[in-house]
Structure formats: C-alpha cells, structure tokens
Amino acid sequence: MNLYIPLLSTAQRTSAQPIHLIASNLSFAMTPSQRRRQRQHQEHQYADDYADISVGSQSVISALTTGTTSSMSTYSTANNNNGRKRRNNPRRARRREDDMSTINDDEDDTRESRSRYSSASSFDDDDMTIFSRYNRFTSTMTPNNTHVKNILTVSVFMIGCIVILNSSVQLQHEDYTNSKNAALSLIQQEQLISRNAHSLVSLPPGMIRGSATQDDGSAINEETERNLQWTWEPETVELREQQPLLPRPNVDHLKILSPQTNTNIAYDKPPNEPLSICGRPAAITPEQDQEIMTNFQSTCKPVGLNDPILLIEGVETFGRTGNNLIEFLHALERAQNEGMTVGIMIDSWVVPVITTMWMAIQNNDMDGWRQHMERTFCIKMLSQDDLSNYTNIIHMETRELFMYKTRQSLPDYVEFQTYHIRNLFRNYNTGVGMDIRHRDVNDMCTGINGLFGPDKLSSQIYSVIHSRNLEGYAGHELLGRVAKNSGCDPEAALNMEPEYIKAILEPIGMLNHPIVFLTDHQRPEILERLRADKDIGPLIHLVPDEASWVGGDITLGIMANAFIGNPASTFSGFIAKSRLALGLKGNYLFRAKNANGEWEEVCEERCVFWKRMLWNMA
C-alpha cells in the first residue's frame, strides 16, 4: 500500500515519489548491495522530511519525545554495532563519509526550514532540540527499521492535523456562542447570568434548582429574579442585586467656569457651623467635628502626575445602595492606608449614587462642584482627557472594593469612616440643584416631611423598623453567619415579631410614639402581624408613595429616636453607621435572649464597623 504525504522535501517535490510503508520495506530477499543503496537513498531524504511536517502543538512533540527515548537508545546501539562490523572496509568508510557529508548538507537545509517555521509558529529552544534529536534518530536507523521512521512520521503528521482541526472546531464553537449571546436581549442576558450564579447556591431541602421562591413558597416575580445573583465567599454568604448597567451621565450641558470667575459661593459654608439634618441637630459637638476634620484635611496633598491614583471607573455596580456606599468608603480607606489618591471618573457609577442624595451641582457650576468634591473627600475628579496626563493608575473592580479589608485598628477605622459619612451629610440634598444626569434632586427630608408635616419636621419623636428579608433562604443563611460571630438571634431580625419589637420599644418608652415601617415588600405577612397586634398596630406608619424614595428612607432611619434593623443588610448597616457618625444612640440590630428569656443587646453599637462580625459589610 502506498501513502502520499503532501508536505515533501526539496528532492521529493520534483519526483513526487511515494513513501512505501511496511509491506514494501520488509523485503528480506534484497541483496546486501541493494539494501545499502536503499539505505543511502533514504538517509538523504529523511533528514529534510521532518522539517516540512507541521506539528500541531508542543504537547504532541513532548509526547513523541517521551515515547521514543528508549527506542532511540536501542536503535543507536544496534547501528553502532553494525558500524563496528564494517569498520575495516576502506570502501565502506569512504561511502560513509560521503553519506555523512550529504546528511550535514540536509541538516543545514533543515535549520533554514526550522528558522522559517519558528518565525511563523514561535517554536522555542526545546522544540528545536526535539527536531534535532528526531532528525539524528531517524537518519541513523538501519534499513530494517525504516518502517518505524515511516510510522513515526505519519503519526506525528496525523496527530498534528487532528489537534489543529480540534482547535479550529473549538474556535468556531466559541464564535457561534458569542454571536448567539450577542443576539440576546439585555433582559435575556441578565436572566442567563442570574441562572448561572443561582446554580452555585446550596439549595434548601425541597427547593428545585432553577426555581426562585420566597420564604413563604411563592414565586419571586420576573423583575426580582432578573436582578438576583448568588455568590459564596470563603467566610460569608452574600445575596446581591446585580443592577442593570447605568447609562453614562451626559455632562456636556454643564458649564465649566474658569478659576477666575468661579467663587464657589454656593458651596461655601460658615466655619464651625453645627451639623444638623432636617432641622435635627447632630449629637457630635462642632468643636469635636472640626478637630477631626482639620486632622484629616491636613493630610490631603495635591496630586502629581506620577502619584498613584486608585481609579473608580465604569458603570457596573456590585449590589444596591448599601453596597455602593460601602464600596466608595472602602476606596477612600484603601487610598488612605496605601498612600494613594482616589480618582473618580465623572461618568462612573459612583457619581450618580452620590449626587442623587448628596453633593448636588449648584447653578450648573461643574467646575465649582468638582473642586468641592475634591476638597471634601481628598480625591481627584477626572474626565477622559484628564486621565491621559497621569502615569500611575491603579484599577480595581467594584466587587474588589466591596471585599476590601482594612488594615486599621477598629477605633481608627471607625473615626475615618464616620468622618466621611459626616462629609456626606454636611452636603445632603435639599431639593435645590441637580445631579450628574441633569435631573433636579430630591429633598432628603421628604420622608419625615411627608409623614409628620413641616411643623413637626424637627420635633417629632418616632422609631423606625427596617424589615429586610434578603430574598428568603440566602437572608437566613447570611444572618445565621452573623449570629454565629456576634451571638445575636439568627431569626429575630428577619421575622420582626411583635414580641421582639415590644421588647425593644417598651423599656425606652417608645410605645407611645409613631413606628415607621420600612420594608422591601418581600414578606407582607410581617406587616400584617404587626398591624394585628393591639399595642403596635395603631402606631404603625407607612411612608406615602409620593414621599418614598431611597434617600428619604435613609434620612428617616438616621434621624429616628430608635432604629431597629437587620445586621445582615448593608442598608440597615449604613443607617446605623450614620447614626453613630452623628453621635446618635439607639441602634438595635444585635439582639438575643439571655438565660432568663429576656431580650438584650449582645454586641456594642460599633459592631457595624467590625469586620470580625460583618466581614466586607462593615
């Protein structure tokens, strides 16, 4: 049987001679002179044949080398023995010299071919060594072993073709998958991501994978399912809501004033002005607040072109409002710890989050707003044109910012975080100005005003319950881990039973005042139970729809006389942290029953900052 190989040596390209395999090479009836002539002819060809064979991958070459090492030793030994038998024949010695001269010329051609293939295929030095070893091995074989050379040559060629074909098929499959995914709508892509992330969760007994259900067994609606992603961390379980991509803010409408014309009148505040929100004064004294402010502002230095900048960029967020605020504060924390400056791209995700509730742009004065942001947080606001001027940019994903763990001690960390939270509330939005998307800002006091009216805006006594279910099973899992570290009850903050609420409010005399109920609406039975209770029911207040928004809810929780929240919720956590930043007491998050069956606090209020208790949520 004859097998033609399309990649031929120089000599073969003109003659197109076939390579005869096993049947023709096992001709033991040949005379010694015929065998010598056949060996000489084949030795002239095989040295160049291998250079024209395209090997599919380095792994194939390595496998060939490993598999033939022992055979190479055997055949080399046999050839040396044959040489010793013919050593005394002068005619054969001269023929061997001529043969080796021809082989050396062929090896030069092989080196040229090898150089040509190395530029196209990027073969390394190990590949070159393998080529040489194979060439020496095949060129020194005896005529009786030429069928082995043919088998090896054809095998390498066929394996290389298979590997190349397989790679081509995989690339075509990836192109098809990418084109298929690209054709999906945004909602379909988010559902696909949600299903993939949901499959990582260890589901509770009786729950079918791929079906999203709430704690009461009812199905989560399509909008909720589309936004949910599940993730497991080594130390904690988190359920996060993957926000749809935010549109990049259009800042073309904002006028940029020159330093000569900009006086920042709208952003200037009287020095040592007492901090108050919605007419309610903070408990921290102006002297203490000013001392801490001066301490941190003294470390704020101008940013050089080669100084390291930790860049916040992009529009994709990790989680909802509570997570986003943690990510911003974590970025400031890391920059402080590592001698960097936070750089914020004007069209990044964090600017809408901040300007929606704080730091509104006044009088279309973009330049004054940028300077005010930079002075307040010791950061650098950047546009795409500005970014090219800086040489030391450190990129960090939004998720990585959320996962960042501080190196500071707990007291130092609390002081740094509360200082920047006060910076936010020194500049809370009052309904005047616009956000980065050129929309009029809301008033952060609309929740209090909508419930109690402008006359009681600053004087109404009330408490707030923040009921956060955290999407059922994952919420139970997360609160269970918080409970394991802090000692709080693993269910009470999720269920908000009337007995639990009364045990908090009755001892402090708050059962005679309104109770504002804030909820994610995932478990309506909680509100129904509270309303059905004879002591609590008449006191329950809900925020009117026209006054209900995230900023108003945050302010309602912060300025309450008592706040009852869920320690596993970053939204509850931010409200509790802000209350501590303003010097307000009365946070009730970490509760458990003692040996006498009485509810009590099991972790001090600073536990909301303690990463040993709340990990990345602190």
Side-chain angles (χ1 to χ4, degrees):
M1 180 179 71
N2 297 335
L3 176 64
Y4 291 88
I5 297 181
L7 297 177
L8 303 177
S9 64
T10 304
Q12 288 173 312
R13 291 191 187 97
T14 57
S15 60
Q17 295 179 357
I19 297 179
H20 298 279
L21 295 181
I22 301 174
S24 61
N25 286 324
L26 297 179
S27 301
F28 294 104
M30 299 175 64
T31 63
S33 58
Q34 290 174 331
R35 286 198 295 270
R36 284 195 300 273
R37 285 193 298 272
Q38 183 186 41
R39 180 174 66 84
Q40 181 179 0
H41 176 72
Q42 290 177 340
E43 287 176 347
H44 282 223
Q45 292 181 359
Y46 282 123
D48 190 58
D49 284 343
Y50 194 73
D52 288 329
I53 296 175
S54 176
V55 180
S57 67
Q58 186 175 351
S59 59
V60 177
I61 301 174
S62 302
L64 173 65
T65 308
T66 304
T68 57
T69 301
S70 58
S71 300
M72 187 184 301
S73 176
T74 302
Y75 286 118
S76 298
T77 303
N79 188 69
N80 290 339
N81 292 336
N82 291 336
R84 282 194 295 268
K85 293 179 182 179
R86 296 190 294 259
R87 185 174 299 160
N88 296 328
N89 191 323
R91 182 183 301 173
R92 290 173 179 169
R94 285 193 301 271
R95 186 181 295 115
R96 282 197 301 272
E97 292 176 358
D98 294 339
D99 293 343
M100 291 307 298
S101 176
T102 304
I103 292 175
N104 289 336
D105 293 338
D106 288 341
E107 287 179 346
D108 293 337
D109 294 337
T110 302
R111 282 191 290 271
E112 295 178 2
S113 300
R114 200 177 299 153
S115 175
R116 181 176 67 254
Y117 279 99
S118 64
S119 61
S121 305
S122 301
F123 291 134
D124 56 22
D125 294 338
D126 293 337
D127 297 325
M128 297 298 100
T129 303
I130 292 172
F131 274 112
S132 301
R133 291 159 70 183
Y134 180 85
N135 188 27
R136 289 195 300 269
F137 168 50
T138 54
S139 62
T140 55
M141 283 186 175
T142 62
N144 292 337
N145 302 127
T146 54
H147 66 283
V148 178
K149 293 186 290 185
N150 289 329
I151 292 174
L152 291 177
T153 301
V154 175
S155 299
V156 171
F157 175 74
M158 293 180 66
I159 293 173
C161 291
I162 292 172
V163 171
I164 295 173
L165 179 62
N166 182 58
S167 302
S168 176
V169 171
Q170 290 180 350
L171 290 175
Q172 292 178 0
H173 177 71
E174 292 178 1
D175 292 340
Y176 171 77
T177 302
N178 293 337
S179 62
K180 182 178 179 181
N181 290 340
L184 296 177
S185 66
L186 177 61
I187 293 179
Q188 289 173 320
Q189 292 183 48
E190 290 177 347
Q191 288 176 337
L192 178 62
I193 295 173
S194 177
R195 285 195 297 270
N196 292 340
H198 182 67
S199 65
L200 300 177
V201 177
S202 177
L203 300 181
M207 184 173 180
I208 302 174
R209 185 171 298 282
S211 65
T213 59
Q214 299 188 53
D215 209 35
D216 58 356
S218 60
I220 297 178
N221 59 48
E222 180 180 354
E223 182 67 19
T224 304
E225 180 183 3
R226 179 168 66 89
N227 288 335
L228 294 183
Q229 288 191 12
W230 305 72
T231 180
W232 287 80
E233 295 298 333
E235 296 181 328
T236 184
V237 174
E238 299 158 11
L239 175 65
R240 68 182 187 270
E241 181 184 24
Q242 183 68 29
Q243 300 276 41
L245 293 182
L246 298 172
R248 289 189 179 274
N250 181 10
V251 296
D252 295 338
H253 57 276
L254 300 175
K255 62 182 179 181
I256 308 299
L257 303 180
S258 65
Q260 290 77 14
T261 60
N262 176 31
T263 59
N264 293 332
I265 295 177
Y267 302 104
D268 289 338
K269 293 184 181 296
N272 297 325
E273 179 183 5
L275 180 58
S276 65
I277 294 94
C278 304
R280 297 170 178 253
I284 185 172
T285 64
E287 294 76 20
Q288 182 183 4
D289 186 24
Q290 185 64 41
E291 180 183 355
I292 297 174
M293 185 188 306
T294 302
N295 178 43
F296 281 108
Q297 288 181 345
S298 65
T299 63
C300 188
K301 305 297 182 183
V303 183
L305 298 181
N306 297 322
D307 292 339
I309 294 179
L310 177 60
L311 190 65
I312 296 180
E313 58 185 331
V315 295
E316 186 174 357
T317 61
F318 183 79
R320 288 183 280 195
T321 304
N323 283 25
N324 301 153
L325 295 172
I326 288 176
E327 290 147 14
F328 173 61
L329 294 172
H330 280 183
L332 298 176
E333 175 73 19
R334 184 188 173 186
Q336 169 79 5
N337 292 343
E338 301 181 17
M340 299 184 290
T341 299
V342 172
I344 296 180
M345 299 298 295
I346 294 179
D347 59 355
S348 66
W349 59 268
V350 72
V351 181
V353 172
I354 293 177
T355 58
T356 299
M357 293 178 280
W358 306 277
M359 309 294 293
I361 302 168
Q362 304 295 332
N363 304 324
N364 272 358
D365 182 5
M366 187 65 174
D367 189 58
W369 173 81
R370 288 178 61 164
Q371 294 178 30
H372 184 51
M373 284 281 291
E374 293 176 351
R375 287 197 310 268
T376 302
F377 300 106
C378 191
I379 59 176
K380 188 67 178 177
M381 300 300 300
L382 299 169
S383 64
Q384 289 293 339
D385 294 336
D386 299 329
L387 189 62
S388 60
N389 297 326
Y390 297 91
T391 61
N392 192 0
I393 302 297
I394 294 92
H395 300 274
M396 198 171 184
E397 296 290 336
T398 312
R399 183 181 183 277
E400 294 177 321
L401 291 174
F402 182 79
M403 297 298 174
Y404 176 73
K405 293 183 179 180
T406 182
R407 300 175 183 175
Q408 290 185 325
S409 64
L410 180 60
D412 291 340
Y413 180 67
V414 171
E415 184 177 72
F416 183 84
Q417 295 282 302
T418 53
Y419 161 67
H420 283 295
I421 291 174
R422 285 194 298 274
N423 282 338
L424 290 173
F425 282 97
R426 256 186 282 272
N427 300 275
Y428 73 91
N429 291 348
T430 60
V432 179
M434 61 183 182
D435 64 14
I436 196 65
R437 296 193 182 106
H438 201 202
R439 300 181 304 193
D440 291 336
V441 296
N442 287 329
D443 188 350
M444 291 282 281
C445 303
T446 53
I448 301 176
N449 191 27
L451 278 171
F452 309 119
D455 295 338
K456 295 184 178 181
L457 183 65
S458 61
S459 60
Q460 180 64 55
I461 298 175
Y462 68 96
S463 58
V464 165
I465 299 173
H466 179 226
S467 176
R468 183 76 169 91
N469 188 51
L470 297 171
E471 286 75 27
Y473 174 72
H476 286 275
E477 187 74 15
L478 181 53
L479 183 57
R481 296 200 174 194
V482 173
K484 183 178 179 181
N485 284 351
S486 66
C488 71
D489 189 274
E491 297 289 336
L494 286 170
N495 298 329
M496 296 292 180
E497 296 284 352
E499 178 257 346
Y500 176 74
I501 301 300
K502 286 189 284 188
I504 296 173
L505 298 181
E506 187 173 15
I508 60 177
M510 291 296 294
L511 278 182
N512 298 321
H513 301 283
I515 302 174
V516 180
F517 187 79
L518 305 176
T519 178
D520 56 10
H521 304 288
Q522 292 185 11
R523 293 183 62 187
E525 72 274 12
I526 295 177
L527 178 59
E528 293 173 2
R529 284 198 303 263
L530 294 174
R531 278 180 163 170
D533 185 85
K534 63 182 182 64
D535 298 320
I536 296 178
L539 303 176
I540 293 294
H541 287 63
L542 300 180
V543 182
D545 291 341
E546 63 274 12
S548 178
W549 69 290
V550 62
D553 290 351
I554 286 177
T555 309
L556 265 170
I558 291 173
M559 303 315 298
N561 299 86
F563 174 70
I564 305 171
N566 185 343
S569 165
T570 56
F571 193 84
S572 283
F574 180 76
I575 291 176
K577 292 173 184 176
S578 300
R579 291 173 59 84
L580 291 177
L582 299 176
L584 302 175
K585 303 294 183 181
N587 289 332
Y588 302 94
L589 284 78
F590 302 92
R591 304 278 289 179
K593 284 186 176 180
N594 58 24
N596 298 325
E598 299 173 344
W599 288 99
E600 63 180 7
E601 285 293 313
V602 295
C603 196
E604 64 165 312
E605 292 182 323
R606 291 190 306 171
C607 281
V608 292
F609 289 102
W610 200 359
K611 292 189 177 294
R612 185 176 298 177
M613 298 296 169
L614 297 180
W615 308 284
N616 315 105
M617 298 183 294

